[in-house]
């Protein structure tokens, strides 16, 4: 598959025909592994202005030189998967290309849960038969495959234990195997997934508790699980929770003061009002993903979790999140707006103080699987299959290059920025390895304007040397996100109009997110 070309594009069957091996599965070839690519392209940084001058409102970005206490931690670049994906054979690093796709994000966090955890997962270490065919059987061998992947990537893992069919003994057995298999890579065990949603009946099979179910009953049942787990493991297991989207349930989890509590976990989705066409609003429209309303909503809702976690002296982990919670294909599905939102959201979460964030995904087919997923399977595109069956080449969706761009800030301490002008434009900055890394998200639509002149000021003594970018022809363009990897900021076409220590004037195309590295001069 393509990795470090001059510009990579992310699409489905059409333009991704350039990625060889559609539908392949099984063991990798015996040919010698290639040398890992240099993350910096040999070619200079070039933007696609279409031969015209930028016509948008000028913008000024001023970076504060004093780092805050917040960092862009590696676990902010993470993926959440449905627990029913655990048996997928492609978790074995020696099978397929899933390891290669995930490695492009560094050492991404891995989390397993989702609605399927409490409704369709049956754990057994004794070769038992599931209650019926609707269940996916998960075994120690499945965890071992994921364990090898986590070890290969250097990923931290959080694992959900099914709570739907109340069985503390079975849950404790799963936890024991998880502790043994994942070792130090296991940083959290969650009892159930979104327990505040157990009484929701918006679609068949979703409701698994009576209407009387509440926070107190959840705490009681989770407590029985944790007691069984700690007894079986022989020590306090790392417990995280409640994995809910309601503040009252976050409070109930904290007040329970379970032994081994490691983090408070919250879920949040940018758009959820699935039938709404209101702009601005919370319906799954590309216009909404780049609107300040959604950006501000993230600050408000994550702020609830952060306030509670800070008071308890715990980190906040957003264990399941994404551009939309709406099922099926939506108007924002696979649009470039999803990529722009992803960059903005990850860096915004870091700025707020979130320590771990996992974009919800699954290994289903690209044409029929979850459209907000970071990855998908090539298998089934022609057959219309609804199940990857643990086979097929893994492909990157439009939010994958967005995470790759955001990962350039990993390891940095957050710096304050002040934006002036530029219309719908926002900036972020970190101090990292004697450099300042600035990311400018230009949400102005390329369908309406060509770009904006941007003046970036950083502390004296730093000069712009490299840049990377995601870009697209319009915010609502589908499967058209391009990625230009970190490249030398020199030459014609870079957009640079002036560069000196402490300052950079650069034209930035609309519908783009650009990361600029300033190194000490």
């Amino acid at each position: 598959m393509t990795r470090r070309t001059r510009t990579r594009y992310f699409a489905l069957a059409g333009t991704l025909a350039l990625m060889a091996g559609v539908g392949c599965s099984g063991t990798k070839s015996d040919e010698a592994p290639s040398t890992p690519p240099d993350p910096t392209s040999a070619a200079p940084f070039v933007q696609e202005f279409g031969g015209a001058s930028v016509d948008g409102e000028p913008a000024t970005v001023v970076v504060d030189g004093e780092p805050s206490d917040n960092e862009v931690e590696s676990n902010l670049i993470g993926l959440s998967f449905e627990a029913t994906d655990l048996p997928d054979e492609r978790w074995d690093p020696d099978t397929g290309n899933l390891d290669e796709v995930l490695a492009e994000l560094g050492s991404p966090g891995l989390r397993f849960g989702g609605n399927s955890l409490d409704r369709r997962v049956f754990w057994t270490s004794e070769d038992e038969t599931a209650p019926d065919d609707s269940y996916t059987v998960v075994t120690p061998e499945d965890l071992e495959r994921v364990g090898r992947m986590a070890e290969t990537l250097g990923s931290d893992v959080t694992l959900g234990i099914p709570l739907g069919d109340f069985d503390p003994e079975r849950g404790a057995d799963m936890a024991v195997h998880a502790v043994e298999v994942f070792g130090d890579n296991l940083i959290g065990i969650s009892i159930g997934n979104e327990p505040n949603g157990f009484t929701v009946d918006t679609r068949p099979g979703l409701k698994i508790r009576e209407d009387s179910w509440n926070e107190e009953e959840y705490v009681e049942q989770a407590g029985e699980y944790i007691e069984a787990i700690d007894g079986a493991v022989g020590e306090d297991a790392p417990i995280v929770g409640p994995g809910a989207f309601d503040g009252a349930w976050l409070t109930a989890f904290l007040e329970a003061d379970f032994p081994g509590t490691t983090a408070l976990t919250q879920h949040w989705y940018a758009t959820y009002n699935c039938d709404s066409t209101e702009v601005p609003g919370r319906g799954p429209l590309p216009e909404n993903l780049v609107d300040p309303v959604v950006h501000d909503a993230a600050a408000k809702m994550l702020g609830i979790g952060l306030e509670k976690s800070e008071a308890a002296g715990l980190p906040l982990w957003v264990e399941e999140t994404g551009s939309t919670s709406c099922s099926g294909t939506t108007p924002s599905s696979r649009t470039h707006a999803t990529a722009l939102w992803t960059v903005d959201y990850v860096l915004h979460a870091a700025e707020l103080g979130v320590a771990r964030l996992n974009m919800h995904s699954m290994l289903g087919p690209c044409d029929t699987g979850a459209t907000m997923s970071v990855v998908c399977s090539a298998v089934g595109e022609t057959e219309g299959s609804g199940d990857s069956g643990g086979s097929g080449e893994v492909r990157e969706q439009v939010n994958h290059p967005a995470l790759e761009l955001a990962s350039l800030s990993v390891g940095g301490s957050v710096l304050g920025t002040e934006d002036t002008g530029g219309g719908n434009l926002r900036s972020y900055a970190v101090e990292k390895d004697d450099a300042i890394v600035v990311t400018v998200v230009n949400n102005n639509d390329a369908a309406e304007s060509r770009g904006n002149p941007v003046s970036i000021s950083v502390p004296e003594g730093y000069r712009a040397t490299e840049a990377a970018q995601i870009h697209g022809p319009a915010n609502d363009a589908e499967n058209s996100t391009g990625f230009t990897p970190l490249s030398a900021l020199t030459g014609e076409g870079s957009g640079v109009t002036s560069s000196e220590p402490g300052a950079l004037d650069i034209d930035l195309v609309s519908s783009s997110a650009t990361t600029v590295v300033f190194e000490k001069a």
Side-chain angles (χ1 to χ4, degrees):
M1 67 185 285
T2 55
R3 173 66 184 102
R4 290 291 175 187
T5 55
R6 178 65 190 88
T7 298
R8 294 180 8 239
Y9 287 87
F10 295 78
L12 294 182
T15 55
L16 272 183
L18 60 90
M19 298 174 67
V22 174
C24 66
S25 63
T27 305
K28 294 179 182 178
S29 66
D30 295 330
E31 63 185 39
S34 60
T35 302
D38 188 324
T40 303
S41 171
F45 177 76
V46 176
Q47 299 185 69
E48 299 181 2
F49 291 105
S53 300
V54 296
D55 56 356
E57 178 187 356
T60 299
V61 174
V62 178
V63 178
D64 185 348
E66 290 297 321
S68 70
D69 293 333
N70 298 330
E71 295 185 359
V72 182
E73 302 187 30
S74 61
N75 274 326
L76 281 164
I77 311 296
L79 281 72
S80 163
F81 288 91
E82 288 291 321
T84 46
D85 280 330
L86 282 166
D88 196 301
E89 293 184 358
R90 289 168 295 179
W91 287 111
D92 187 337
D94 294 328
T95 301
N97 69 322
L98 178 58
D99 60 323
E100 298 167 3
V101 171
L102 296 180
E104 290 175 344
L105 304 177
S107 297
L110 299 176
R111 176 259 183 178
F112 297 89
N115 281 334
S116 67
L117 175 71
D118 298 299
R119 296 163 179 84
R120 294 189 288 116
V121 168
F122 180 77
W123 164 265
T124 177
S125 61
E126 299 179 356
D127 198 28
E128 300 164 280
T129 302
D132 59 58
D133 292 340
S134 68
Y135 285 85
T136 295
V137 176
V138 178
T139 69
E141 290 75 18
D142 300 325
L143 297 187
E144 289 167 5
R145 274 193 298 272
V146 177
R148 290 193 291 274
M149 178 69 78
E151 188 66 27
T152 297
L153 298 173
S155 296
D156 290 333
V157 177
T158 45
L159 180 69
I161 304 295
L163 177 62
D165 296 324
F166 183 74
D167 192 341
E169 183 178 349
R170 187 177 298 277
D173 184 60
M174 186 176 186
V176 166
H177 282 84
V179 169
E180 178 181 343
V181 167
F182 296 129
D184 292 340
N185 293 112
L186 181 68
I187 61 171
I189 292 174
S190 178
I191 311 303
N193 172 82
E194 295 185 358
N196 59 314
F198 280 10
T199 60
V200 174
D201 61 355
T202 53
R203 61 178 184 269
L206 202 58
K207 183 174 181 178
I208 53 176
R209 290 291 190 275
E210 296 299 323
D211 291 340
S212 59
W213 172 255
N214 56 27
E215 301 96 312
E216 290 75 19
E217 289 185 63
Y218 159 70
V219 166
E220 180 180 349
Q221 292 193 6
E224 291 188 48
Y225 266 72
I226 293 168
E227 183 178 358
I229 289 170
D230 289 346
V233 171
E235 59 184 1
D236 291 347
I239 299 299
V240 301
F245 50 87
D246 185 298
W249 291 72
L250 305 185
T251 298
F253 175 84
L254 291 173
E255 291 180 347
D257 195 23
F258 294 125
T261 297
T262 301
L264 180 69
T265 63
Q266 181 178 7
H267 293 182
W268 185 79
Y269 284 90
T271 60
Y272 58 84
N273 196 353
C274 303
D275 296 325
S276 173
T277 57
E278 183 179 356
V279 178
R282 302 298 295 280
L285 305 174
E287 300 95 319
N288 286 336
L289 287 177
V290 297
D291 194 277
V293 167
V294 166
H295 175 87
D296 295 343
K300 177 181 178 181
M301 296 309 297
L302 298 184
I304 293 173
L306 284 164
E307 181 179 3
K308 294 178 185 297
S309 66
E310 290 169 4
L314 295 169
L316 178 68
W317 296 354
V318 184
E319 284 286 88
E320 183 181 315
T321 192
S323 59
T324 184
S325 60
C326 301
S327 60
T329 300
T330 69
S332 64
S333 297
R334 305 184 180 96
T335 63
H336 184 58
T338 297
L340 295 174
W341 170 84
T342 299
V343 176
D344 184 83
Y345 176 52
V346 170
L347 297 180
H348 187 202
E351 187 177 71
L352 293 170
V354 174
R356 179 174 165 91
L357 187 151
N358 296 309
M359 295 288 179
H360 198 48
S361 302
M362 55 190 68
L363 295 173
C366 294
D367 61 347
T368 59
T371 56
M372 82 296 197
S373 180
V374 177
V375 295
C376 59
S377 297
V379 68
E381 288 183 350
T382 56
E383 303 91 340
S385 168
D387 185 359
S388 69
S391 63
E393 179 187 56
V394 175
R395 293 182 173 175
E396 306 158 350
Q397 301 219 80
V398 295
N399 41 4
H400 184 283
L403 288 177
E404 196 168 352
L405 187 77
S407 73
L408 296 175
S409 295
V410 166
S413 298
V414 174
L415 300 172
T417 63
E418 183 177 350
D419 309 327
T420 305
N424 193 358
L425 181 147
R426 194 172 289 111
S427 68
Y428 302 92
V430 301
E431 184 180 63
K432 173 184 176 181
D433 299 334
D434 293 325
I436 291 177
V437 181
V438 180
T439 298
V440 179
V441 183
N442 189 348
N443 289 317
N444 296 298
D445 200 335
E448 301 173 0
S449 70
R450 288 184 290 274
N452 301 74
V454 180
S455 296
I456 304 175
S457 298
V458 300
E460 191 70 31
Y462 291 86
R463 181 187 287 274
T465 58
E466 297 173 308
Q469 186 182 78
I470 61 168
H471 49 86
N475 289 351
D476 63 358
E478 296 182 6
N479 303 314
S480 301
T481 297
F483 177 59
T484 302
L486 204 59
S487 312
L489 197 56
T490 58
E492 186 177 353
S494 66
V496 174
T497 57
S498 174
S499 180
E500 59 186 50
L504 174 70
D505 292 337
I506 184 171
D507 293 340
L508 295 178
V509 292
S510 297
S511 297
S512 70
T514 308
T515 295
V516 180
V517 178
F518 291 80
E519 297 181 345
K520 283 191 174 180

